[in-house]
């Protein structure tokens, strides 16, 4: 059945769940005209589980009504930048609470005055993926709901996944965040050193298993029979081994003369002191030392994580529930480490490869959990949930990294300082207030090319500071200045009835502003440095876009928009290749001069030539 593309511009019931304890309703606007990257084959995940679930109804966009949840796949109904109202009505007057790991969502759902009904809005910004919330009563989970939020400008399975892969390929875990409105599912792989955000996700998924394994080790600890020696009186000595005999040889002065003893050198003697060998069981084994090491290591990383959360710049993230959860895990492990059993265990001083760790009850689980939480999360599979940065930030990162890849195809990479990262203790970011520069040399001409991220004019211009995302600078061999071109990533699209998809008009106006305001002082006068400016926006149909006025404008005024996605890079590659292979004169001719500038330039040259000729004539007459 065909999809109702118009959708509904009014809030409608998108999901209705009936349980023995409550009625839960999710409402929102469903305007498919904003779903630009429509995929008729797309299917949405929606699931719920809990106590006494009686019925689940989901809005079917193809039927245009609520239908009972079945095995049939449903078309997406939740999208980025959407606002969805949640209404929770208890059936028996229970005092229910709403829980979502994102603290702002927890605060958004509150109880109505003089009522037990909970309601509020969940606002998904530029974040896509899965989102899960729970309905609780006295900290007991009654209902868990998981649904999928789709992007409106990207193909979810193709473009978005390729965007994530492109960012993580350049800088591993750059795409990850700590706790956001949504998450993606992934699997743990032994790839690189995990970030604190990955460690938190992995540990919370396995902490109960780890705690049970520690308890099993304490109940049935591995022990071994250990030989120990005690210095005792001579009359308590028994048969000596090699160590006992060596002790007697080194302490000959301790032998005393007796009537009945050992005849040595004409003397009858017995040792006054010696070593008594004893066998006893001990739990201070390498395996138990390894278990203690894992506890100490996890406590240390949890303390580091807790400190990072408290210092997190976004105050919404540093919520008390999260801090309490970390304190609870730290406290539990610290209590165990203070117990006499673990205090008697020494420190691990070597690498262990033991069958006890591989097969022993409790030890096997400790070993498996610790190896798992020491891995990285790769966004594939369905085991762990991992928050990802919002799409707008990802798109900005990807465009800069991809521009560098395009330049590498025709240039040799020179000095690099692109990977300038900030680590707030939880996840990585590219530096936002410091230029990151990549240098290239053209393979054919030897000309120097520079790609700068977060370019800033600073105070070098007379007006206000300008900060385009990426600046491409091309220095020609016969010029003492560079030709600069702006590539600005904008995760926005303009859609008009009867017209092709293109960049927003205000973003094109920003390109005009950048080109006109980025100037340099030369010989007492200011000149424009930027020769072109392009908006990079997320769109896939490059063939149709070449007819768009804002693509044709690039050929006339060198300002316009270019579609740029992992599977749509042809037009950007064409522009960059053209800029790299044009001569300085050709680049200069593309520049837009103020009206009358060309005529004025000719007049100045004529005056200079005339003055030169006149001077020559005067010299000859003289």
């Amino acid at each position: 059945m065909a999809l109702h593309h118009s959708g509904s511009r009014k809030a409608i019931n998108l999901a209705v769940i009936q349980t023995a304890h409550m009625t839960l309703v999710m409402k929102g606007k469903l305007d498919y005209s904003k779903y630009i990257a429509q995929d008729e084959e797309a299917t949405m995940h929606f699931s719920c589980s809990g106590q006494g679930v009686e019925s689940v109804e989901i809005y079917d966009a193809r039927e245009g009504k609520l239908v009972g949840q079945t095995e049939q796949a449903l078309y997406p109904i939740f999208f980025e930048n959407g606002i969805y109202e949640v209404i929770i009505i208890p059936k028996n007057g229970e005092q229910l609470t709403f829980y979502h790991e994102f603290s702002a969502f927890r605060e958004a759902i509150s109880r109505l005055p003089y009522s037990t009904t909970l309601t509020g809005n969940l606002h998904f910004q530029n974040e896509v993926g899965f989102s899960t919330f729970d309905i609780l009563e006295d900290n007991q989970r009654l209902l868990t709901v998981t649904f999928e939020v789709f992007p409106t400008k990207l193909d979810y399975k193709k473009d978005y996944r390729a965007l994530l892969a492109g960012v993580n390929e350049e800088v591993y875990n750059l795409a990850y965040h700590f706790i956001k409105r949504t998450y993606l599912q992934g699997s743990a792989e032994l790839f690189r050193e995990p970030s604190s955000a990955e460690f938190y996700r992995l540990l919370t998924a396995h902490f109960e298993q780890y705690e049970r394994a520690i308890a099993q080790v304490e109940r049935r600890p591995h022990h071994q029979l250990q030989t120990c020696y005690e210095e005792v009186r001579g009359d308590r000595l028994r048969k000596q081994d090699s160590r006992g005999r060596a002790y007697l040889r080194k302490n000959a002065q301790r032998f005393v003369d007796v009537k009945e003893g050992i005849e040595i050198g004409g003397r009858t003697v017995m040792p006054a002191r010696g070593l008594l060998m004893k066998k006893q069981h001990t739990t201070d084994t390498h395996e138990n030392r390894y278990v203690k090491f894992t506890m100490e290591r996890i406590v240390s990383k949890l303390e580091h994580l807790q400190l990072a959360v408290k210092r997190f710049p976004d105050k919404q993230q540093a919520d008390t529930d999260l801090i309490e959860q970390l304190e609870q895990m730290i406290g539990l492990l610290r209590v165990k480490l203070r117990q006499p059993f673990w205090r008697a265990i020494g420190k691990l001083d070597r690498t262990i490869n033991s069958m006890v760790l591989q097969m022993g009850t409790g030890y096997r689980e400790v070993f498996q959990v610790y190896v798992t939480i020491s891995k990285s999360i790769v966004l594939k599979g369905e085991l762990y949930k991992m928050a990802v940065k919002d799409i707008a930030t990802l798109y900005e990162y990807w465009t800069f990294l991809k521009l560098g890849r395009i330049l590498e195809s025709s240039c040799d990479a020179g000095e690099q300082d692109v990977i300038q990262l900030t680590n707030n203790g939880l996840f990585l970011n590219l530096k936002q207030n410091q230029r990151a520069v990549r240098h290239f040399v053209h393979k054919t001409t030897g000309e120097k090319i520079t790609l700068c991220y977060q370019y800033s004019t600073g105070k070098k211009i007379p007006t206000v500071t300008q900060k385009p995302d990426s600046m491409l600078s091309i220095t020609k061999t016969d010029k003492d200045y560079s030709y600069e071109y702006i590539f600005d990533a904008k995760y926005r699209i303009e859609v008009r009835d009867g017209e092709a998809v293109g960049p927003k008009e205000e973003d094109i106006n920003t390109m005009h502003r950048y080109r006109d305001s980025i100037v340099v002082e030369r010989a007492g006068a200011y000149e424009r440095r930027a020769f072109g400016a392009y908006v990079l926006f997320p769109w896939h149909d490059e063939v149709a876009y070449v007819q768009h006025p804002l693509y044709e404008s690039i050929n006339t005024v060198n300002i316009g928009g270019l579609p740029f996605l992992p599977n749509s890079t042809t037009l950007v590659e064409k522009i960059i290749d053209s800029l790299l292979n044009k001569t300085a004169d050709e680049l200069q001719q593309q520049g837009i001069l103020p009206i009358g500038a060309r005529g004025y330039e000719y007049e100045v040259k004529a005056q200079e030539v005339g003055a030169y000729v006149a001077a020559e004539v005067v010299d000859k007459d003289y």
Side-chain angles (χ1 to χ4, degrees):
M1 183 175 292
L3 174 68
H4 296 255
H5 289 285
S6 61
S8 173
R9 297 174 183 263
K10 296 182 179 180
I12 60 176
N13 293 337
L14 299 177
V16 178
I17 302 173
Q18 298 282 355
T19 77
H21 302 277
M22 75 193 81
T23 298
L24 187 147
V25 180
M26 297 184 69
K27 304 182 67 172
K29 296 180 180 180
L30 198 58
D31 185 2
Y32 281 107
S33 64
K34 296 181 179 180
Y35 185 25
I36 302 169
Q38 289 193 37
D39 179 4
E40 295 292 339
E41 303 299 324
T43 57
M44 175 193 69
H45 172 87
F46 188 97
S47 65
C48 66
S49 61
Q51 300 180 13
V53 176
E54 298 171 351
S55 65
V56 179
E57 293 181 297
I58 309 296
Y59 186 83
D60 189 332
R62 293 181 172 86
E63 297 287 342
K65 62 180 181 180
L66 287 170
V67 298
Q69 187 180 27
T70 62
E71 297 297 327
Q72 180 182 357
L74 294 173
Y75 199 70
I77 57 175
F78 300 100
F79 298 98
E80 60 172 326
N81 295 310
I83 300 176
Y84 302 100
E85 183 182 6
V86 177
I87 304 171
I88 305 162
I89 307 172
K91 290 185 175 180
N92 304 311
E94 298 99 328
Q95 295 292 319
L96 304 180
T97 57
F98 176 90
Y99 179 82
H100 192 287
E101 66 176 3
F102 186 63
S103 60
F105 274 8
R106 293 200 300 271
E107 297 169 0
I109 308 299
S110 59
R111 186 172 288 104
L112 292 175
Y114 312 107
S115 173
T116 57
T117 299
L118 297 173
T119 186
N121 293 328
L122 304 182
H123 183 194
F124 293 93
Q125 299 177 1
N126 291 325
E127 297 171 33
V128 302
F130 298 96
S131 188
T132 298
F133 63 80
D134 299 314
I135 310 301
L136 312 174
E137 181 185 17
D138 296 330
N139 292 325
Q140 182 181 4
R141 185 178 291 107
L142 300 181
L143 182 67
T144 298
V145 178
T146 299
F147 56 97
E148 198 167 11
V149 181
F150 276 65
T152 58
K153 308 177 186 68
L154 303 178
D155 185 288
Y156 188 38
K157 294 182 179 179
K158 297 178 182 178
D159 295 328
Y160 183 62
R161 292 284 179 171
L163 201 71
L164 289 173
V167 172
N168 272 355
E169 183 180 358
E170 292 285 343
V171 185
Y172 173 69
N173 71 33
L174 180 61
Y176 296 157
H177 204 274
F178 185 48
I179 290 179
K180 300 287 280 184
R181 298 167 178 82
T182 58
Y183 61 88
L184 293 183
Q185 293 177 324
S187 59
E189 292 188 6
L190 188 57
F191 187 52
R192 299 186 185 180
E193 180 68 20
S195 63
S196 295
E198 292 171 278
F199 167 76
Y200 167 77
R201 288 298 187 186
L202 292 167
L203 182 61
T204 51
H206 292 282
F207 190 78
E208 290 185 5
Q209 178 188 1
Y210 181 77
E211 182 183 355
R212 291 194 301 269
I214 295 294
Q216 287 179 325
V217 170
E218 291 173 341
R219 286 194 298 269
R220 298 183 62 183
H222 173 258
H223 60 273
Q224 62 186 19
L225 195 62
Q226 184 181 52
T227 301
C228 61
Y229 296 88
E230 179 184 1
E231 190 178 65
V232 297
R233 298 192 310 269
D235 58 341
R236 295 183 56 192
L237 294 178
R238 296 191 295 267
K239 184 178 180 179
Q240 296 289 291
D241 60 0
S242 59
R243 182 172 175 179
R245 291 192 295 269
Y247 176 87
L248 294 176
R249 285 195 298 268
K250 293 179 180 179
N251 296 275
Q253 71 277 7
R254 294 196 173 186
F255 283 85
V256 296
D257 294 312
V258 294
K259 293 182 179 180
E260 296 181 359
I262 304 172
E263 294 186 0
I264 301 177
R267 296 175 58 193
T268 303
V269 296
M270 283 289 291
R273 308 284 294 181
L275 294 181
L276 178 64
M277 179 180 65
K278 296 193 300 183
K279 298 283 187 178
Q280 64 181 19
H281 290 279
T282 179
T283 57
D284 189 12
T285 64
H286 294 307
E287 290 77 11
N288 291 329
R289 290 184 178 188
Y290 175 83
V291 175
K292 182 178 180 179
F293 162 79
T294 65
M295 287 194 289
E296 292 173 337
R297 182 63 177 161
I298 290 174
V299 167
S300 176
K301 296 187 74 171
L302 283 173
E303 290 174 341
H304 179 270
L305 177 62
Q306 184 184 44
L307 183 62
V309 169
K310 291 180 178 179
R311 293 178 177 177
F312 194 77
D314 185 353
K315 298 302 182 183
Q316 291 182 341
Q317 302 286 353
D319 61 273
T320 55
D321 287 355
L322 176 58
I323 294 175
E324 288 177 2
Q325 181 186 11
L326 295 175
E327 288 178 346
Q328 183 179 2
M329 290 190 288
I330 293 172
L332 189 147
L333 294 180
R334 280 178 174 170
V335 167
K336 288 188 175 296
L337 288 171
R338 287 196 294 266
Q339 292 175 357
F341 174 78
W342 294 109
R343 289 171 61 185
I345 305 299
K347 290 187 176 295
L348 185 67
D349 57 358
R350 67 194 67 188
T351 303
I352 297 178
N353 186 12
S354 168
M355 289 300 296
V356 174
L357 290 180
Q358 300 290 336
M359 305 294 293
T361 302
Y363 294 91
R364 177 180 62 248
E365 289 77 12
V366 168
F367 180 75
Q368 291 174 346
V369 170
Y370 189 73
V371 169
T372 299
I373 66 176
S374 300
K375 294 178 180 179
S376 306
I377 292 182
V378 178
L379 293 176
K380 60 182 180 181
E382 300 179 354
L383 296 178
Y384 309 102
K385 57 183 184 180
M386 193 67 207
V388 180
K389 290 182 172 66
D390 64 89
I391 303 183
T393 301
L394 279 177
Y395 186 67
E396 178 184 319
Y397 287 176
W398 177 82
T399 53
F400 174 68
L401 297 172
K402 185 61 178 180
L403 288 173
R405 282 293 184 95
I406 293 174
L407 288 171
E408 287 176 353
S409 63
S410 57
C411 302
D412 293 321
E415 180 183 352
Q416 307 293 318
D417 61 352
V418 58
I419 309 303
Q420 296 191 31
L421 304 170
T422 58
N423 188 343
N424 59 13
L426 298 175
F427 52 85
L428 298 177
N429 281 321
L430 289 183
K431 288 188 176 180
Q432 295 292 316
N433 299 317
Q434 185 172 347
R435 291 169 56 154
V437 182
R438 300 191 68 175
H439 301 278
F440 302 89
V441 178
H442 197 284
K443 293 180 180 179
T444 304
T445 63
E447 294 169 344
K448 295 181 179 179
I449 296 123
T450 301
L451 180 65
C452 181
Y453 173 72
Q454 289 294 315
Y455 177 89
S456 175
T457 59
K459 299 181 180 179
K460 297 179 181 179
I461 61 175
T463 54
V464 296
T465 301
Q466 303 295 328
K467 295 181 178 180
D469 289 340
S470 299
M471 178 73 81
L472 177 65
S473 299
I474 304 172
T475 303
K476 296 297 180 179
T477 54
D478 56 344
K479 301 295 182 181
D480 61 349
Y481 54 87
S482 61
Y483 298 84
E484 298 188 341
Y485 298 86
I486 297 160
F487 292 85
D488 207 53
K490 299 293 184 184
Y491 185 69
R492 304 198 299 175
I493 293 179
E494 183 77 54
V495 181
R496 294 185 177 181
D497 295 336
E499 293 187 11
V501 174
K504 289 279 190 181
E505 285 189 1
E506 52 263 40
D507 295 334
I508 295 296
N509 292 333
T510 301
M511 297 304 102
H512 280 285
R513 187 192 77 207
Y514 282 154
R515 191 177 68 175
D516 292 340
S517 58
I518 298 177
V519 296
V520 62
E521 185 178 7
R522 285 167 52 88
Y526 282 95
E527 297 175 338
R528 281 206 303 249
R529 299 176 58 181
F531 282 71
Y534 318 105
V535 175
L536 304 180
F537 65 98
W539 186 239
H540 61 276
D541 193 351
E542 296 180 286
V543 176
Y545 181 74
V546 295
Q547 307 297 327
H548 197 285
L550 291 178
Y551 178 74
E552 296 174 346
S553 65
I554 295 176
N555 294 325
T556 54
V557 295
N558 220 4
I559 286 180
L562 294 168
F564 201 40
L565 281 175
N567 299 312
S568 307
T569 61
T570 303
L571 295 182
V572 173
E573 292 173 358
K574 180 180 177 181
I575 289 290
I576 292 179
D577 183 70
S578 174
L579 295 176
L580 295 182
N581 292 289
K582 284 183 177 179
T583 64
D585 291 339
E586 290 173 327
L587 293 178
Q588 195 74 44
Q589 289 173 4
Q590 289 182 328
I592 302 299
L593 299 176
I595 190 169
R598 295 188 185 277
Y600 177 76
E601 180 182 359
Y602 296 146
E603 292 175 4
V604 170
K605 287 185 177 180
Q607 292 175 2
E608 292 177 349
V609 171
Y612 175 77
V613 172
E616 288 289 326
V617 171
V618 171
D619 288 342
K620 289 181 180 180
D621 292 344
Y622 180 79

